[in-house]
């Protein structure tokens, strides 16, 4: 692995397969806050782009498929679309989820991250304004489709997705029912996570793949619809995909199965099952968290147990590297960037409250020593520069 200290633009221009981005802003002990204080809040970092951001919510029905969550119904998919908007104030808006969905989401998050972090993340004030008017102009905008990790919603990644929209991207983000911890529909129905549990993830992941392919078809139809707010404002020759964890590997599947996808990003996703066999040809980027050190493991386990954990970490990193080299072998270009100081959840909004996770048990395999906001900002810059380079201008294959 080559260690590179350079600008992101230069970093993306290097020809090595794997580079390491050294983060320079570690978590400071003095920044820790009292997680027992329920009224603590977090705020999204300022938008880096020149545009305000709007957001709209949709529920789309795929009549060609039965819903595995409720086989009496056709498959329904909830999603948001973020986009550059006309300026509006105030600059910080309301939480993205309505009161009922937001409360249920906090309940689910509490089991993962604890009640203080869950409430702060669930009530995060974001920049996007619901149903704000699209940015005035004739320029056609590139389109990105985002798929979240298992158990999560696209609305758990506001910082990354709003940043892209503020720089002129239209970004659609999914909330796959049955895979997300909870999805609340406008008609009062609610679905909880029943898919992708345990060993079933290797086969159930195909449902998410079909969800994302369906979303791409509907997005193209939305752009073609004269009644749509996106009509004639999106360049369908400049479509990219990205996602985190399960969503990251889904992004690669979309590139392999849809030739209209021009670039794809996998954020910290480990391929499994049929995904290992795909060979996308488009430009690919793998953004990886840093593998944790065995020294970070919670204390109290036996030496034998710790030895097994160490071996597991080593095997996981080797498998991750080998899978990436196989999957990207036919790509026009492929980059892997490891952001030091990050762990798997450092790419979600909840990372803004990562300083509240103090003990090794709370942090293990979740968040790293990097400052949460700084890690998200660096990730945003990395994503933006990759898509700016691969979708602006168009690249030929």
């Amino acid at each position: 692995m080559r260690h590179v200290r350079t600008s992101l633009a230069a970093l993306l221009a290097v020809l090595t397969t794997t580079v390491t981005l050294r983060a320079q802003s570690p978590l400071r002990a003095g920044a820790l806050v009292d997680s027992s204080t329920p009224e603590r809040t977090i705020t999204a970092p300022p938008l880096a782009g020149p545009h305000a951001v709007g957001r709209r919510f949709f529920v789309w029905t795929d009549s060609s498929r039965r819903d595995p969550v409720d086989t009496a119904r056709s498959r329904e998919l909830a999603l948001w679309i973020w986009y550059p908007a006309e300026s509006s104030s105030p600059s910080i808006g309301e939480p993205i989820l309505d009161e009922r969905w937001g409360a249920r989401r906090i309940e689910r998050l509490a089991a993962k991250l604890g009640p203080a972090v869950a409430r702060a993340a669930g009530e995060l004030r974001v920049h996007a304004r619901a149903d704000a008017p699209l940015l005035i102009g004739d320029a056609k905008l590139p389109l990105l489709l985002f798929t979240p990790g298992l158990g999560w919603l696209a609305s758990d990644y506001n910082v990354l997705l709003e940043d892209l929209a503020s720089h002129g991207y239209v970004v659609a983000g999914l909330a796959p029912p049955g895979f997300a911890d909870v999805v609340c529909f406008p008609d009062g129905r609610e679905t909880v996570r029943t898919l992708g549990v345990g060993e079933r993830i290797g086969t159930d992941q195909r449902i998410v793949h079909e969800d994302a392919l369906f979303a791409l078809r509907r997005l193209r139809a939305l752009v073609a619809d004269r009644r749509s707010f996106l009509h004639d404002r999106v360049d369908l020759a400049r479509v990219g995909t990205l996602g985190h964890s399960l969503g990251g590997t889904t992004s690669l599947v979309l590139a392999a199965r849809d030739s209209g996808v021009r670039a794809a990003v996998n954020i910290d996703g480990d391929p499994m099952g049929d995904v290992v066999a795909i060979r996308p040809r488009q430009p690919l980027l793998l953004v990886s968290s840093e593998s944790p050190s065995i020294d970070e493991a919670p204390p109290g386990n036996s030496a034998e147990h710790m030895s097994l954990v160490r071996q597991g970490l080593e095997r996981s990193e080797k498998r991750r590297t080998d899978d990436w080299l196989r999957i990207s072998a036919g790509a026009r270009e492929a980059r892997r960037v490891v952001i030091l100081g990050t762990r798997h959840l450092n790419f979600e909004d909840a990372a803004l409250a990562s300083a509240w996770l103090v003990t090794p048990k709370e942090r293990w395999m979740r968040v790293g020593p990097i400052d949460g906001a700084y890690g998200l900002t660096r990730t945003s810059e990395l994503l933006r520069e990759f898509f700016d380079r691969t979708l602006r201008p168009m690249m030929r294959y």
Side-chain angles (χ1 to χ4, degrees), residues 89-273:
S89 58
S91 60
I92 296 293
E94 294 300 311
I96 186 171
L97 302 180
D98 63 30
E99 184 175 358
R100 178 174 66 97
W101 195 351
R104 294 288 287 121
R105 183 67 184 137
I106 290 171
E107 290 176 9
R108 294 280 173 162
L109 281 176
K112 296 180 177 181
L113 303 175
V117 175
R119 180 162 297 280
E123 296 182 350
L124 173 68
R125 263 54 180 176
V126 295
H127 296 283
R129 310 296 297 179
D131 302 317
L134 181 67
L135 183 70
I136 295 174
D138 298 324
K140 291 193 175 184
L141 309 169
L143 173 66
L144 303 175
L145 177 64
F146 176 85
T147 309
L150 181 61
W152 304 94
L153 306 164
S155 60
D156 292 314
Y157 304 82
N158 288 284
V159 174
L160 299 183
L161 304 187
E162 287 188 343
D163 178 79
L164 287 164
S166 76
H167 284 88
Y169 288 87
V170 174
V171 187
L174 308 183
F179 289 89
D181 284 341
V182 59
V183 175
C184 296
F185 290 95
D187 63 5
R189 289 180 299 114
E190 177 183 298
T191 65
V192 297
R193 183 183 165 194
T194 56
L195 303 172
V197 178
E199 295 181 356
R200 288 169 42 197
I201 183 57
T203 53
D204 284 354
Q205 65 178 343
R206 298 172 187 170
I207 301 168
V208 174
H209 301 163
E210 293 299 325
D211 286 344
L213 287 164
F214 165 71
L216 275 179
R217 294 193 298 271
R218 282 300 304 265
L219 286 165
R220 289 172 176 134
L222 190 68
V223 173
D225 187 347
R226 292 182 177 276
R227 300 165 296 178
S228 166
F229 80 109
L230 291 179
H231 176 64
D232 206 32
R233 291 300 309 278
V234 169
D235 186 351
L236 293 177
R238 294 190 292 160
V239 175
T241 59
L242 71 160
H244 175 232
S245 195
L246 171 64
T249 59
T250 298
S251 173
L252 302 180
V253 170
L254 293 177
R257 295 179 60 179
D258 189 324
S259 61
V261 173
R262 298 297 177 178
V265 177
N266 172 10
I267 305 174
D268 218 35
D270 289 338
M272 62 190 77

Side-chain angles (χ1 to χ4, degrees), residues 64-78:
S64 69
R65 292 189 293 154
R66 293 285 93 185
D67 194 334
V69 177
D70 182 356
T71 56
R73 308 176 67 98
S74 295
R75 179 66 168 168
E76 289 186 321
L77 185 64

Side-chain angles (χ1 to χ4, degrees), residues 252 271 275-280 284 322-331:
L252 302 180
V275 176
V276 179
I278 64 173
R279 298 293 183 269
L284 306 177
D322 290 346
D323 287 344
W324 169 244
L325 292 176
R326 278 193 295 268
I327 289 173
S328 64

Side-chain angles (χ1 to χ4, degrees), residues 22-26 45 352 370-380:
R22 290 190 177 277
Q24 302 297 326
S25 180
L352 296 171
I370 193 171
D371 175 77
Y374 181 78
L376 286 168
T377 298
R378 298 300 281 171
T379 303
S380 294

Side-chain angles (χ1 to χ4, degrees), residues 290-313:
E290 183 184 16
S291 296
S293 164
I294 191 64
D295 296 332
E296 299 173 22
N301 294 307
S302 67
E304 181 181 5
H305 174 81
M306 297 300 283
S307 177
L308 291 174
V309 171
R310 181 184 295 105
Q311 294 173 31
L313 292 173

